[in-house]
Amino acid sequence: MKFGGSSLKTGECMRQVAEIIISEKEKKAVVLSAVTGVTEMLVQFISRTRSEEDVDAFMKQITKLHTDLIKDALRTEKGQAKTMEELVAKLVKLERMLYGSCYIEEVNPRIRDYVQCFGERLSVIMVAALLDEMGVKAKAMDADELGIITDGEYGSATVNLEATRSMIRPKLMKSLQDGVTPVITGFFGRAPEGSVTVFGRNGSDYSAAAVANALGASSLEIWKDVDGFMSVDPRIVPSARPIPTLSYDEAAELAYFGAKVVHPMTMEPARAGNIEIRVKNVFRPEAPGTVIRGMGKNGDVGIKSISCMKNMSLVKVFGEDTGYKLGVLEDIASLMTKAEVNIYSVVTSLTCIAMLVDKKDVAKAQKVLTESGNLSRMETHSGFALMCVVGEGLGHHKGLASRVFKAVAKEGVNVGLISAGASLVAFHFTIEEADLERATKAVHEELFGC
Ligand code: ADP
Ligand code: ASP
Ligand code: MG
């Protein structure tokens, strides 16, 4: 069972989470995110070097936020005091690292990852204490100590499932046999050489899938503040409908292209272990939510959902006869890899290769491509958004693309780069960011009638 930061906002939310955990009678492990906003605070703080005064003020702020929550969540003074003690022991480690970074005047990827994961180290202590207070034995566990093993890539690590299984399974099984519910930190693991590495923002869903895989669990519940995956981001279209079932591929494409309900990598450990994922709402536990599983022949093959991404830019590189020359795409892709730029989409013509990248990566892409020296010209265009339509069997749905583009055109919105056919379950296109809301509403209305 995994609970996200938005389900841990207040003491009352935390008690609701504890009640959901307690009402599950099967043996279970729990994985948690940081309390909402805490990772963002840590990420912002460690984005540059700081002074001692900055560290002091920051530590005060983060301590107060958690102290207030403990007082709000736990009923007994004894419980509150014991939890504070455990929390302070973790906060001291964070403080020391922040001072260290401030004295050596350096923030490197290793320090950054080490600092970012403290929100989770704090939230597991609070929820384990709350479960204890409510009469259920629970133990807070840090993923690095427990043994979630990663490939060591700072900022966007991948779990080594085999190594992780052999490290954590015996410990978790023992805990379960002893009747103690493990409450494990999401978001990070330990590189083979020992350093902390995070899985990228929203990575706790992925941690939970890795734990479920290691345990050979039959199901993974991901608890959110929405009724599961919806037909579109409900913040853009309030009439969005919950989706009852998705295949692993559909969920992965949706998550990758902007439906930030679950981390896109979550589906891999689940698929590998044939584990059913249920996305449920903490505030409406009776709602069915979304089930994500392998899609058999009789799967549900309609159009399921639309996802969107803002802040996209187009990088166009021109060269004579680009289309005829062998290896041009390979050269460009390796330059982009060197610059650590992710390419979301690529379309080529005789003279041009157009790539869709995150706006924040444009400068890096520009630099590395210019330095390579063998392109005749480059253009960058920003202010784009991407819209992705997802559904198993989309590749065989006649007339779907024309319905989508007609709906967009009716709003007077221009379509830029189009990509279809790469995935059998998704196609996407770009529009101007300013048109996103209008276009999304129009496509949702066309496909779902609301
Ligand atoms: P947590 O951090 O608690 O795990 P998030 O806030 O990261 O959860 O993710 C849940 C949010 O994702 C929802 O509140 C919703 O606004 C947003 N969201 C974006 N796209 C979708 C979608 N297609 N379906 C459901 N929620 C979506
Ligand atoms: N706390 C991390 C984040 O905010 C991981 C997560 O919530 O899943 O991105
Ligand atoms: Mg999140």
Side-chain angles (χ1 to χ4, degrees):
M1 305 177 85
K2 182 262 168 181
F3 296 87
S6 48
S7 316
L8 305 170
K9 258 185 235 162
T10 62
E12 200 187 325
C13 294
M14 283 192 182
R15 276 198 297 278
Q16 171 72 4
V17 164
E19 262 156 33
I20 291 172
I21 297 170
I22 292 169
S23 64
E24 174 57 69
K25 297 301 172 216
E26 298 282 332
K27 283 205 167 62
K28 70 252 158 180
V30 175
V31 173
L32 297 184
S33 296
V35 168
T36 189
V38 172
T39 308
E40 192 54 34
M41 279 168 69
L42 292 160
V43 168
Q44 289 305 325
F45 191 77
I46 203 66
S47 64
R48 59 180 176 84
T49 53
R50 303 286 178 167
S51 67
E52 272 184 72
E53 292 73 35
D54 288 343
V55 174
D56 293 340
F58 181 75
M59 288 308 301
K60 250 194 205 139
Q61 194 190 355
I62 203 158
T63 307
K64 179 168 183 331
L65 189 153
H66 289 88
T67 314
D68 289 349
L69 265 175
I70 288 177
K71 286 191 190 139
D72 195 16
L74 292 162
R75 305 259 192 237
T76 67
E77 270 182 31
K78 196 171 148 222
Q80 289 177 2
K82 185 166 167 278
T83 314
M84 259 329 284
E85 215 174 278
E86 286 175 43
L87 215 73
V88 167
K90 294 283 175 213
L91 287 165
V92 166
K93 288 194 178 164
L94 171 64
E95 187 176 39
R96 285 186 185 152
M97 179 54 95
L98 294 178
Y99 278 140
S101 154
C102 134
Y103 296 146
I104 63 169
E105 293 181 25
E106 186 180 327
V107 175
N108 57 36
R110 185 172 184 155
I111 296 177
R112 207 173 289 136
D113 278 23
Y114 182 87
V115 168
Q116 283 180 19
C117 68
F118 265 84
E120 276 71 11
R121 296 191 196 271
L122 302 174
S123 67
V124 290
I125 291 177
M126 297 191 291
V127 172
L130 185 56
L131 285 169
D132 262 339
E133 191 183 81
M134 292 165 85
V136 170
K137 278 197 239 161
K139 185 167 188 278
M141 299 183 185
D142 286 343
D144 49 347
E145 248 173 67
L146 180 65
I148 294 190
I149 308 297
T150 74
D151 63 353
E153 182 81 27
Y154 292 113
S156 57
T158 308
V159 179
N160 179 333
L161 286 178
E162 258 172 56
T164 299
R165 188 178 308 117
S166 59
M167 287 295 288
I168 75 173
R169 189 181 161 88
K171 297 182 199 169
L172 294 180
M173 286 304 193
K174 166 88 178 52
S175 181
L176 292 176
Q177 265 160 20
D178 295 345
V180 177
T181 302
V183 183
I184 308 161
T185 55
F187 190 35
F188 67 95
R190 180 179 88 207
E193 97 298 352
S195 57
V196 166
T197 39
V198 302
F199 302 128
R201 298 306 302 275
N202 292 315
S204 303
D205 303 321
Y206 178 45
S207 303
V211 171
N213 179 295
L215 282 172
S218 55
S219 98
L220 163 64
E221 291 181 359
I222 298 184
W223 291 83
K224 297 266 155 185
D225 62 347
V226 275
D227 284 353
F229 264 97
M230 313 283 278
S231 50
V232 68
D233 186 341
R235 287 172 294 196
I236 302 180
V237 185
S239 60
R241 287 197 236 142
I243 310 168
T245 56
L246 285 173
S247 66
Y248 293 125
D249 283 340
E250 287 172 334
E253 295 281 2
L254 276 173
Y256 181 64
F257 286 117
K260 300 231 179 305
V261 205
V262 297
H263 188 284
M265 291 287 286
T266 311
M267 274 51 77
E268 288 321 307
R271 190 202 305 263
N274 202 15
I275 301 163
E276 212 170 73
I277 305 174
R278 288 174 183 275
V279 186
K280 305 250 308 164
N281 190 346
V282 164
F283 306 104
R284 266 168 38 88
E286 69 286 359
T290 302
V291 178
I292 304 167
R293 57 176 170 232
M295 211 46 106
K297 281 214 167 67
N298 306 322
D300 173 9
V301 292
I303 297 151
K304 302 287 182 56
S305 185
I306 308 164
S307 64
C308 318
M309 271 164 98
K310 285 188 186 166
N311 297 320
M312 304 303 293
S313 292
L314 212 52
V315 176
K316 287 185 165 184
V317 290
F318 297 87
E320 261 170 49
D321 301 338
T322 304
Y324 284 125
K325 283 188 202 145
L326 293 179
V328 181
L329 207 53
E330 184 187 354
D331 292 346
I332 290 179
S334 55
L335 286 169
M336 298 291 259
T337 307
K338 196 172 127 205
E340 297 185 350
V341 173
N342 186 27
I343 306 169
Y344 281 94
S345 198
V346 56
V347 176
T348 67
S349 74
L350 178 63
T351 55
C352 172
I353 295 176
M355 290 167 287
L356 195 64
V357 302
D358 203 306
K359 184 168 131 195
K360 70 169 178 16
D361 289 338
V362 170
K364 282 196 284 183
Q366 221 163 1
K367 182 165 180 285
V368 77
L369 290 168
T370 314
E371 280 169 5
S372 83
N374 50 21
L375 306 162
S376 60
R377 192 160 61 84
M378 177 172 35
E379 280 176 13
T380 62
H381 304 265
S382 52
F384 287 105
L386 176 149
M387 192 186 293
C388 182
V389 179
V390 172
E392 198 78 46
L394 201 74
H396 317 293
H397 250 84
K398 290 193 189 71
L400 175 88
S402 96
R403 272 173 67 199
V404 169
F405 293 134
K406 260 189 207 144
V408 173
K410 225 165 108 191
E411 288 295 316
V413 171
N414 194 30
V415 170
L417 179 145
I418 301 173
S419 173
S423 160
L424 278 179
V425 306
F427 82 81
H428 63 256
F429 55 93
T430 62
I431 51 178
E432 290 200 8
E433 198 168 285
D435 296 328
L436 179 64
E437 205 173 311
R438 221 155 27 103
T440 307
K441 284 184 172 145
V443 174
H444 192 264
E445 165 89 50
E446 170 64 32
L447 298 179
F448 302 98
C450 60

